[in-house]
Amino acid sequence: MTSFDSSPTLTAWRALLALAVVFVMLATTGWTAVHQRSADSRALALASWAKGSIAGQPLPEADAPPYKLAHFFATLTAAQRAQLADRYPLVVGNLNGAPVTTRYRANRRAIGQASAVERKRVHDSRLSAAGRAEAQHRLDRFRSMLAKDRHFLAFDPSGRGLAAEVFGDLDRADRISLVVPGVDTTLLTLERTGAKTNAAPVGMAKSLYAAELAARPQVRPAVIAWADYTTPVGIGMDAALGNLARRGAVRLDALVRALPGPAPVSLFCHSYGSVLCGVAASRLPGRVEDIAVAGSPGMRADNAAQLHTRAHVWAMRDSGDWIEDVPNLEFGGLGHGADPVDHDFGARVVSADGAVGHSGYFEPGTESLDNFAAIGVGAYTSVTCAPADHTCNDGVYTNTTA
């Protein structure tokens, strides 16, 4: 007897449902259109870098492998590294392989330069009122990013903007966590104020960092708010496809391979960010020990084994998350596949008790945040499993090397 769940009729209905969802998306949101400024400042900076030199020697290609760039910077004096950071901030600040502190210096300089540009635009009478208001918003964001206690591992103001902020001492960390956010992440949504602080990438990372410090005080963690890939705009076609996830996966892999030291890495992937992490899983280096997803629409795999990773795969979803109603389908490249919290997927399903809604997983006092923190510092036996998977942490042990 053929069950309804596996019948050709249901398969056809699922395909039609997927197409219907897409047509609704198109009718309500349309294709992603990223506004590009007339002058791509980073492209100009790269062109200048390609013709530059230091101490009579040509500069390496900006897209050289991280180990080659690391070797190049190791041959320079501290003064020469600072000179390059000040002369080519938009390049050096984004070079995987450059020393962390050199990238921090470069990005602070780049943010300062971007602030100067927006300061002029605020008073530019040739711009519309909306254009001047956008310039003011960007200026306010850059001023916040220039606070003395902030450190950026990546920064690009062109288009909607990219950035990655670090909390903790990345060079000396025992464990490193990366927060990979989802749709509508830009420089203007990098952080929030008020009641929804922990729904934005910076707030997520700060909240996770504080929770990790409390979860295992003897471990030195570092957390990165990794908003350094182009995300979909709204729940439109780009959110239903994997193109941006595939491009972002290349960038994520490059960053992880360039992280300093031998510290294990854990990824915390929210919403569309979990699509990216699923695509990236098979290529990431072995130091990635955990891939944890929350509010996931799918990881572009039918099950955890298809991710082809030795990392522990964790998943959570709170009962009020609207993502549960999104069809977990894949048809002609549309949709992201099976639900990671389904038993048959094979992830370690953990509790999200206390989290409210699609963006509430990093709120202090929730089991979702406590579980993320325990995973991030390797305190696996402290993870609280979801009721449907009470053995989620079987076979995973506390890291005793830290």
Side-chain angles (χ1 to χ4, degrees), residues 323-340:
I323 204 76
E324 182 178 7
D325 298 324
V326 174
N328 289 104
L329 307 171
E330 192 283 322
F331 180 76
L334 300 171
H336 305 304
D339 187 343

Side-chain angles (χ1 to χ4, degrees), residues 48-115:
S48 178
W49 171 273
K51 297 182 292 184
S53 63
I54 187 79
Q57 299 297 319
L59 302 178
E61 295 182 2
D63 60 354
Y67 74 90
K68 287 188 176 180
L69 291 171
H71 175 74
F72 166 74
F73 278 94
T75 67
L76 304 179
T77 64
Q80 289 171 333
R81 291 193 290 271
Q83 182 181 347
L84 289 179
D86 294 342
R87 186 185 300 171
Y88 307 101
L90 277 175
V91 178
V92 175
N94 296 283
L95 284 182
N96 289 317
V100 168
T101 52
T102 302
R103 293 177 71 170
Y104 291 167
R105 179 188 180 107
N107 285 320
R108 178 165 291 275
R109 174 64 66 94
I111 296 167
Q113 292 177 349
S115 296

Side-chain angles (χ1 to χ4, degrees), residues 273-350:
S274 68
V275 182
L276 187 159
C277 289
V279 173
S282 63
R283 73 173 75 200
L284 292 169
R287 69 186 298 185
V288 175
E289 292 192 350
D290 303 285
I291 300 175
V293 302
S296 174
M299 301 180 73
R300 299 227 139 211
D302 291 333
N303 52 62
Q306 288 186 359
L307 296 175
H308 301 293
T309 177
R310 291 183 293 177
H312 311 123
V313 180
W314 311 81
M316 68 169 68
R317 185 177 64 224
D318 78 72
S319 59
D321 191 337
W322 58 261
I323 204 76
E324 182 178 7
D325 298 324
V326 174
N328 289 104
L329 307 171
E330 192 283 322
F331 180 76
L334 300 171
H336 305 304
D339 187 343
V341 301
D342 278 355
H343 178 270
D344 291 342
F345 187 82
R348 299 171 182 271
V349 185
V350 302

Side-chain angles (χ1 to χ4, degrees), residues 17-28:
L17 178 59
L19 288 174
V21 169
V22 170
F23 287 134
V24 170
M25 289 175 178
L26 282 172
T28 57

